[in-house]
Amino acid sequence: MAEAAELLQVIDVDGKTRGKAPALKPDDLKAMFRAMLATRLFDQRGMNLQRQGRIGFFVPSMGQEASQIGAGYAMGEQDWLFPSYRTHSLAILKGVAWKRLYDQLWGNATDEVKGRQMPNHFSFRDIRWVSISSPIGTQISQAAGAARGMQVRGEKGCVWAWFGDGGTSSNDFHAGLNFAGVWKSPVVFMCENNHWAISVPTEKQTASQTFADKAVAYGMRGVRVDGNDVLAVYEAAREARERAVRGEGPTLIETVTFRMGPHSSSDDPKRYQAQSLFEAWQKKDPIERFRAWLKVKKLWSQEWEDQLSKGIQDELAKAVEAAEATPAPTLDTLFDDVYATLPAQLAEQKAGLMEQIRRSGEIENAGGAFPL
Amino acid sequence: MAEAAELLQVIDVDGKTRGKAPALKPDDLKAMFRAMLATRLFDQRGMNLQRQGRIGFFVPSMGQEASQIGAGYAMGEQDWLFPSYRTHSLAILKGVAWKRLYDQLWGNATDEVKGRQMPNHFSFRDIRWVSISSPIGTQISQAAGAARGMQVRGEKGCVWAWFGDGGTSSNDFHAGLNFAGVWKSPVVFMCENNHWAISVPTEKQTASQTFADKAVAYGMRGVRVDGNDVLAVYEAAREARERAVRGEGPTLIETVTFRMGPHSSSDDPKRYQAQSLFEAWQKKDPIERFRAWLKVKKLWSQEWEDQLSKGIQDELAKAVEAAEATPAPTLDTLFDDVYATLPAQLAEQKAGLMEQIRRSGEIENAGGAFPL
Amino acid sequence: MPEMTMLQAINDALHVAMAKDDGVVMLGEDIGKKGGVFGATQGLHDKYGEMRVMDTPLSECGIIGSAVGMALYGLKPVPEIQFLDFIYPAFDQIVSEAAKMRYRSGGQWTCPMVIRSPSGGGIRGGHYHSQSSEAYFAHTPGLRVVMPSTARDAKGMLLSAIFCGDPVVFLEPKHLYRLAKGDVPAGWYVEDLDKARVAHEGTDVTVVSWGAMMHTCEEVLKEAHEKGISVELVDLRTLLPWDAETVLASVRKTGRLVTVQEAPRTCGFGSEVAATVAEKAIDSLRAPIARVAGFDTPFPYTLEHVYKPDRKRVLGAIEYVCRWE
Amino acid sequence: MPEMTMLQAINDALHVAMAKDDGVVMLGEDIGKKGGVFGATQGLHDKYGEMRVMDTPLSECGIIGSAVGMALYGLKPVPEIQFLDFIYPAFDQIVSEAAKMRYRSGGQWTCPMVIRSPSGGGIRGGHYHSQSSEAYFAHTPGLRVVMPSTARDAKGMLLSAIFCGDPVVFLEPKHLYRLAKGDVPAGWYVEDLDKARVAHEGTDVTVVSWGAMMHTCEEVLKEAHEKGISVELVDLRTLLPWDAETVLASVRKTGRLVTVQEAPRTCGFGSEVAATVAEKAIDSLRAPIARVAGFDTPFPYTLEHVYKPDRKRVLGAIEYVCRWE
Ligand SMILES: Cc1ncc(C[n+]2csc(CCOP(=O)(O)OP(=O)(O)O)c2C)c(N)n1
Ligand SMILES: Cc1ncc(C[n+]2csc(CCOP(=O)(O)OP(=O)(O)O)c2C)c(N)n1
Ligand SMILES: [Mg+2]
Ligand SMILES: [Mg+2]
């Protein structure tokens, strides 16, 4: 019935231009490269911090920088974001201060989510970045609802939902895309096909020829793009957004990319992934590809990148130091934000805890290590 | 990407053959007609019994006889059935005794589900007819699992799952078709598009061009057939079954038909359905179409149908009388079948109830009327 | 004050809410043209159109998931789940998302929404149109659980719920939709979401109930009185957070407690009430606590009247604790 | 008898079950090649292949829905839900389908299956990898709910569960996966699913717990003893159906009850235990019942150790009821 969606590309594996490159100014192109590089450095440091036992857990995005920054660059000022736990590059792109990111990784007293969630579960209201939760897919139907909200309010803009290949199997993927299709809501569904759901490969995830093809079931546009080609992703995302804002309905974009790191700091891909597969994708590293292309365009030099890296590393080091030095949230915060106001039962439980501590001293911290 | 699946037909609206008719013997064709007619009569009587307050609720299938009998006739002896509350025609086709059907409508002492469920929620283990439940769609993922069971056991056969256009929006539709696609399980998904989910029309149900198109998302075959054309449905179902049994995987069949009655005995379509739409479909009545075709083929006569009807009506009358005369299940049955064995808590609750009745007499029955 | 049935009071509250705040939207199955299978949303679709009263695809997951998104965006969605028995496909969005949004985001994001759903038996709906699963939600921090038993409370608490800023599971005892009648203030009118209601004062025994069972308990008052038993009847009205103080004060006065629920007995909300009293008012108790409840079986069809606690079962429990020495 | 951790005992039970009955199949996320995120299914995929140990798409709804279908077909599926926090997308299939299949079909159809899932805190998983939602299932007639606290029980009860003929929610206290060690009989070995276990006999107070909190309670025994308090510690092991008799017998002896759970306090299973005692052994009670529980908030990350009841909180409750006059 449907023949598989074809794969959009702008930069080929060795950095040459195929087809038409988007009209982006040199500064834009450099900003994109910077965000990709910064993300890579943030990921490397995050993994190290976890290995050193300084943070409890970390989710890297290595290999998916183009897939994320390409689309992130197409976002509008007023757009809304329903991210996943693997898309911190978007916060980096939007210039969220490093300290804010590290505060969350430490779950310390200045962490904006008050140490309530595991690392990588960010929330940044100021950039309409909705709180991330662990259950896979739940943000997808929520994004459809927020986009419907834009329609109800008659406001212009676009909602972006991020999820992975595994997320397409969730209840909320089906519900969210179906509702958005019926409502013709201004939303772009970004499916990052990084070939793995922890240890489950895509062929065990679905028999659909491509993830983009799933758009057919919801009467919406499906686009499949080379996720390691930052310009191709930008182009696909920009067009999808324009259509959404013009009232032409939602788009499902599949970015074909690869998870070059482990699922998380607790995972070891060697148990289930062939080394050869990893090496094949290493050759398609999105940063190397974009670097090669920028070089051809005379927009890149080693010195420039070295400076860039050094600057970023210094910022990261400072932010890490500051976050690590920040104490944990105070015990009484445990009872805040359950309801708009503190109900009697909780007030009583809070008082009980405080009384116990007064009586028998601080509560010891047993620790525990995360397996996933 | 996908152009909408085309509509398969064998009998046109005025009974002429278009395309190739399936190789069915006269006796088969007559048996199909009989089952369709019997279903219509059973539905009419069911609605009357409810209007007369003799049963509490009823779900008619008027207009969908071809969609169901056509596929039902393609079932194999050892096939498994995960039906919906609107597919009693399949039990009629398989020769389930009328009394068994009416016992369930009355929820009496000989009802095989022991008066535990509302009318139309049949269960017939002897024909591998799995217990029907009210939550929409739950049988779909279960059917995928049963079909997987056949593969695990290396047994030949096919599983049939029945649901409506509304059911395609359920969590279980997405999960069931996705799992079946990955497993290449021997299952046929029968989606009866009768244009309504109670009062919700199909254009509010999904933006997909057709329901058959949704098969694309699961890498399976999708077929769209005229659901008021019993021979076309038979042909599509037969082929789907053959493929399933040959190990070529599942098929999603959309039968395009119409709910000619109310959603149930509690519903009034006038609130939401244009009379003109009803009349347009009345002209395509599946029984009239098949009758016209049989007439052309010299397989039908008024006398024959009159005899048929009379015979069926007599059987129904007898069965109704017998079911109505059967008392309600005894109170103690309330506690059976919760677990394989009666746990202490339940034994105690049962004893308590019996003791109360001994002390203060029978429990009065307040009644109550169903809105839906 | 106009007299209304509970169903009319709920419909009235929805009209008032939509007129007051154009951020109030409704979504669900058959709530538009049909006006809801019970008629609770009558007239809203005609008046406010498809953008604010949405007939959705058949997906509770999508109804609640998109409602959460609308709430995050700044609207006040009032999704309807056609029957409480069908809320489970949306359970994840309710307990993992709506309930935890405020907490997990450190207060950055909230989910002001009211999930309306008809609950309990009384319409011969068999076990998929009759369940009382309030205890699941009452065990979910972050949710408010409200279950009125009068037309007046239904209106006042529904309006409070829509504007309280928290996610609320608003359970409508369908058995009382037409049975519960009474004077209901016209226009804007709100009721407290943190207080139980002493429906009838008494001195010998405290009976605590909520929803449709309140009706059964009220019928028993007279019979108990004739047997010389003075019953204090407390209508909890809200199950989370719930008003333990009113119950404790009553038990301290009467010395006896009977809880009455339609839901299965084990781990139902009556257990919470009993446990709280055993924890905080044990010295006042002059008899065992008695829980009257549905049996620990699924809900039946033909024997619904046997499954649900009736006057005799409630009266039996009252006499049992009052006869205790 | 070989010494095993609870994780090894579970893995051993699964190996024994699959070897004994070729109708036993497993399905879930990452249970195949990876052997499960905790390693509970190690070695099974290599030994029995993809037809009996299935890595599924990321859909709990599909995992449980298809498992129900397999059970109906005659297999004995043992689906794994990677974390109990992620079971909610399958909630409908569990409470509406698996739990009610036998009843609604008049006994024609049954759902013999065991849903395995790691439960509770202890791994710093924040509030989506730490929940204890056993009370939801304990309020669902038709389900069996099992939660072992020792390696021995984990093996014996898992094997019993797989062959008991009912749908079972088998909760594995992930905190004890490696912490709980002990002698475990080799080969075929089953434990009763209807009996609680008196883990330690005592005379002053009955402490009732289950799962990971049993470990905390055991740690408290010594401290209590030093304070001159003799604790009788009861491990419920099964929450539905549960063994009230053992608890009642103990309370009749000690006259005092403390329940200890990790789950949020309101409407948790401790409430059921307390209510049952207040109903049937009130005359034996010499002090208020005390419930120790998680707070009525979502599960935190940084302050997990504050959220979960610790030795001090348990000991405090024990002293409170024992000091009572
Ligand atoms: C509902 C649910 N089930 C299981 C998990 C455990 N889990 C965490 S991430 C993950 C794989 C997700 O894969 P994918 O959607 O492709 O995203 P990726 O990790 O590849 O970015 C799983 C199974 C979860 N978080 N939520
Ligand atoms: C999960 C769930 N939600 C809502 C309902 C109420 N309901 C009963 S039938 C129905 C419409 C079903 O439409 P469709 O799937 O097209 O089947 P049809 O009735 O047309 O045969 C609805 C909404 C239900 N039974 N289950
Ligand atoms: Mg992935
Ligand atoms: Mg329909």
Side-chain angles (χ1 to χ4, degrees), chain A residues 64 85-86 163-167 192-198 200 202 205 259 263, chain D residues 58:
Chain A
Q64 301 177 216
Y85 48 79
R86 206 182 293 283
F163 50 92
D165 43 287
E192 287 191 278
N193 171 5
N194 65 1
H195 288 75
W196 294 103
I198 306 186
V200 179
T202 51
Q205 197 59 244
R259 195 193 74 203
H263 169 71
Chain D
L58 207 166

Side-chain angles (χ1 to χ4, degrees), chain D residues 253-285:
Chain D
K253 180 176 74 177
T254 64
R256 297 183 180 85
L257 172 66
V258 173
T259 67
V260 182
Q261 72 189 30
E262 191 174 316
R265 173 188 192 79
T266 299
C267 230
F269 199 78
S271 311
E272 177 60 31
V273 175
T276 301
V277 167
E279 220 165 24
K280 298 183 165 167
I282 192 99
D283 289 353
S284 320
L285 281 177

